[in-house]
Amino acid sequence: MTREEIIKSINQEIADEYEVDASVINPDAVIFDTLNLDSLSLVDLVGIVQFKCKVLIPSAELKSIKTFSDLYDYVESHLPDNNKQ
């Protein structure tokens, strides 16, 4: 999965799940602010990303993921080797 595919996949799932226009999801945007998340919604977001990208995001790692770019970087760097191109 390329970075472009990661971004497209994550953004589409987020836009559908949180009923937001995909245009508000930009790399520098803060996830919590953009999606108006609470802690339960964050769990849902993690579940979506883990299911869609097959990447486990431990709770301790969530603290370092603030922006969408952070999320894309995390997913890209933790993809199973057989999915990287």
Side-chain angles (χ1 to χ4, degrees), residues 20-21 24-26 28-37 68:
V20 297
D21 190 298
V24 302
I25 304 170
N26 67 68
D28 296 325
V30 176
I31 296 170
F32 268 92
D33 296 342
T34 304
L35 301 177
N36 296 315
L37 296 181
F68 289 99

Side-chain angles (χ1 to χ4, degrees), residues 3-85:
R3 184 171 181 88
E4 287 180 9
E5 292 170 330
I6 292 167
I7 292 169
K8 183 178 179 181
S9 177
I10 289 173
N11 287 1
Q12 185 61 53
E13 288 296 319
I14 289 172
D16 291 347
E17 179 69 23
Y18 295 96
E19 299 177 352
V20 297
D21 190 298
S23 66
V24 302
I25 304 170
N26 67 68
D28 296 325
V30 176
I31 296 170
F32 268 92
D33 296 342
T34 304
L35 301 177
N36 296 315
L37 296 181
D38 59 21
S39 58
L40 185 55
S41 297
L42 180 61
V43 171
D44 290 340
L45 175 64
V46 169
I48 290 167
V49 172
Q50 290 181 158
F51 177 77
K52 190 70 177 176
C53 300
K54 309 296 186 240
V55 171
L56 180 64
I57 304 174
S59 302
E61 296 291 329
L62 287 177
K63 295 174 189 168
S64 66
I65 300 173
K66 306 255 186 263
T67 65
F68 289 99
S69 184
D70 294 339
L71 179 60
Y72 308 145
D73 291 344
Y74 186 89
V75 170
E76 185 176 29
S77 68
H78 289 82
L79 281 173
D81 288 337
N82 61 355
N83 286 341
K84 290 184 180 177
Q85 292 185 351

